Amino acid sequence: MKIQVFKGIFLLLIGITLFSCKKTTSFDALKEVNYVEENYTKTEAYITMRDSVKLFTVIYSPKNTSKKYPILLQRTPYSCRPYGEDKFKNNIAPNPHLMKEGNIIVYQDVRGRWMSEGTYDNMRAYIPNKKSNLDIDESSDTYDTIDWLVKNVENNNGNVGTWGISYPGFYSTYSTIDAHPALKAASPQACIGDFYFDDFHHNGAYMLAYFKITSLFGTPKTKPSNTSWYKFPDLKTKDGYQFFLDAGPLKNLDTYFEYEHLDTPNLQSKNKATDFFWEELKEHPNYDEVWQSKGLIQHLKNVKSHVATMVVGGLFDAEDLYGPLETYKNIEEFNKNNYNTLVFGPWSHGQWVSPKSKNNVGNYYFGDSISLKYQTEIETKFFNHFLKGNGDKNAGLPEAYVYDTGKKEWNSYNNWPPKKAEKKVFYLSENQKLTTSKEKETGIKFISDINKPVPFSEDIKTTFTPRKYMTDDQRFAARRNDVLIFETEVLENDLTLVGDILAKLQVATTGTDADWVVKVIDVHPSNIKENNKDMQKHLKLSNYHLMVRSEIMRGKFRNSFTHPEPFVPNKKTAVNIKLQDIHHTFKKGHKLQIQVQSTWFPLFDLNPQTYVDNIFKADKKDFKTQTHTVFTSSEIEFKVLN
């Protein structure tokens, strides 16, 4: 491999920060004056890949050269700024402990992003059987990078670890496939697994709240750049709900992604869109070969056994919840001899890097020092054992370390979900009851008004990527006529739910399509003690309706995400919705509530409620108000830990 070292100083302009943008990859705080500059030497290099494309790489090496260090590598589409060998990050490494005790820390702009050459591909498809050096993917780029690093970076001990949060987490997962022999540990965190079930889609529904961030991934770039080449849409309002309601069908949003030239995005004439990611979203509404090829989960059947994995996620991650759970489960299922562990805490997207002691997600308080404990006792321990220690399977960590978000405590398990958990079924019954026995079947009707969709939040704002709604108080929704509620009596004993949830709805609609939303809610007692001064002033913990888990299903995909089909009007139809894993104890004195609705706006786009092949191309006339029915034969399957 060849090296070209940068000696000049690059001009740094303000673009996105790693935490204000969609993906979180650094501390966002913890600024210690000159610590990195005082203790590390920074080198910038171009590393040549097997197809001769050069990737820009930044290497921070400890100034203390009396011993050898492992290499910690993060590959990112979000820039390894600041550029220039005399400009330093305020913090490096996965956490401050790993930074201070000494490691060689490497950041790389992935192919086609920022200062790297080549063409960017959003979630580049894995090529299992490469036939030539032109067959490249993120696995081969990682392999070539690690190969160069262990051969060319001084004082390395021959061991490499990868880590990253969200999109960089996807690249960390990718590193484990066809892994370089020097790769000993990987920690995919909040990692994307499949763009049809993470981030921009949920079960076929388009996540409209991500609209503003589309240009980050789809604005074309023709040459390396140390400044932002994309712009985010200016909605000219603070009221996202009203903006998208007024905008109408998705096709009316095309104009926000029409650029004058590749590196200078400006609004241009109608009927021309050059944002390749927006085009991809528009032209591929179904789970077709495009999305299937980009998914990484199906390629985790042969993770190299010499790579230990620690998958990390947040139980209230609004962006990437599917990815880390499915990454862990698939590595576990198909790689029986591998070291593979799971850590899930009471966090939003990437919140575990926070230096704050108090752990809130939105308005809800979960405890103190949770992230700090993770950084010190889990993450640092994992990397040190496999990169500096003997690297055996006795790392001193549990198989699964998962936070109970009701009891507010960590629990260790030998399996996830725990094998001793038992299935328990609740039924959506009349008179707003959630019962453990099936009652006589009746239909409960509600009108889904296309002009007055159910908001996902009480807040008046536009979102870059939504987060706090995951723990929002759902009283505002429960008091609407188009939201059905079903709840237990006040619990006489604690009820601990673990693992995924299956909502088995029996429904009907007067239309030919509909979305179905299920929310699992912890209704707090009225006399509960207030414990969070940071809660929005109009809210109280008294009777707080904590959303524990929620999910949407675009009805036409109820039988297949690849081959959608319309509803037959007024015909009872089964719609199953899988909700991602939880670990939550509904405490004695609380109530378990289920909410069912059909719109969730503008978190997700509006379903026209009449069948169309492609909602991105639907016309205004396609959108109709309909009457929906939920039958009391509908059931919710939980896993209960006794």
Side-chain angles (χ1 to χ4, degrees), residues 4 70 209 304 329 408 411 461 481 563:
Q4 179 182 345
K304 299 300 183 183
K329 290 176 182 179
K408 300 181 180 178
N411 287 300
K461 64 179 182 180
N481 292 331
H563 302 291

Side-chain angles (χ1 to χ4, degrees), residues 429-618:
S429 300
E430 283 191 287
N431 302 315
Q432 300 185 345
K433 292 182 179 179
L434 185 65
T435 62
T436 54
S437 60
K438 185 183 293 187
E439 299 181 354
K440 181 180 178 181
E441 182 179 84
T442 59
I444 305 172
K445 297 181 183 295
F446 67 96
I447 296 173
S448 180
D449 188 344
I450 206 71
N451 298 307
K452 197 176 180 181
V454 180
F456 79 96
S457 171
E458 290 182 284
D459 299 340
I460 305 299
K461 64 179 182 180
T462 59
T463 59
F464 196 64
T465 54
R467 290 185 179 174
K468 69 174 283 293
Y469 84 92
M470 293 287 284
T471 61
D472 268 354
D473 187 344
Q474 296 299 306
R475 274 177 282 197
F476 77 94
R479 292 164 181 170
R480 287 180 59 113
N481 292 331
D482 51 358
V483 177
L484 304 183
I485 65 172
F486 308 89
E487 66 181 26
T488 64
E489 298 294 330
V490 174
L491 296 174
E492 297 181 356
N493 299 289
D494 287 357
L495 176 67
T496 300
L497 305 181
V498 296
D500 59 15
I501 301 163
L502 181 60
K504 300 170 73 173
L505 301 184
Q506 295 289 333
V507 299
T509 175
T510 55
T512 50
D513 196 8
D515 289 345
W516 303 95
V517 178
V518 174
K519 296 185 287 191
V520 178
I521 292 163
D522 183 341
V523 180
H524 289 43
S526 297
N527 61 351
I528 194 170
K529 183 180 179 181
E530 302 291 331
N531 68 351
N532 187 6
K533 295 180 180 179
D534 297 327
M535 184 176 286
Q536 288 173 286
K537 300 303 181 184
H538 69 284
L539 296 175
K540 299 294 181 184
L541 196 59
S542 173
N543 198 37
Y544 194 93
H545 284 38
L546 172 67
M547 189 165 73
V548 176
R549 184 61 74 238
S550 55
E551 192 55 277
I552 189 171
M553 169 64 75
R554 181 135 291 168
K556 67 180 182 178
F557 295 113
R558 64 195 179 278
N559 295 321
S560 170
F561 291 112
T562 304
H563 302 291
E565 56 189 276
F567 284 78
V568 176
N570 301 309
K571 180 181 179 181
K572 188 172 75 169
T573 306
V575 176
N576 292 341
I577 308 173
K578 177 185 174 182
L579 288 75
Q580 302 298 336
D581 295 34
I582 65 172
H583 185 3
H584 188 86
T585 295
F586 292 76
K587 299 173 74 173
K588 177 182 177 181
H590 292 226
K591 291 188 286 186
L592 167 60
Q593 183 185 96
I594 301 295
Q595 292 186 5
V596 180
Q597 61 199 61
S598 188
T599 52
W600 210 10
F601 190 76
L603 185 64
F604 292 94
D605 66 316
L606 286 178
N607 190 318
Q609 305 191 135
T610 57
Y611 181 88
V612 293
D613 288 331
N614 187 343
I615 293 179
F616 280 91
K617 298 181 180 181

Side-chain angles (χ1 to χ4, degrees), residues 45-83:
Y46 268 122
I47 300 178
T48 306
M49 301 294 102
R50 63 190 65 182
D51 64 343
S52 299
V53 170
K54 297 179 176 62
L55 303 188
F56 185 86
T57 308
V58 175
I59 304 161
Y60 291 90
S61 299
K63 289 183 177 179
N64 179 358
T65 59
S66 63
K67 57 181 179 179
K68 295 183 181 297
Y69 303 93
I71 296 170
L72 280 166
L73 168 66
Q74 180 181 109
R75 305 184 67 243
T76 177
Y78 300 125
S79 171
C80 46
R81 297 177 298 183
Y83 296 107

Side-chain angles (χ1 to χ4, degrees), residues 19 24 26-30 94-96 165 347 350-360 369-375:
F19 218 102
T24 307
S26 76
F27 302 91
D28 191 44
L30 270 177
N95 65 55
I165 297 173
W347 299 307
Q351 193 178 5
W352 46 93
V353 302
S354 173
K356 295 179 181 178
S357 175
K358 191 173 184 180
N359 197 122
N360 289 331
S369 302
I370 297 170
S371 299
L372 302 179
K373 176 183 175 70
Y374 158 76
Q375 294 168 23

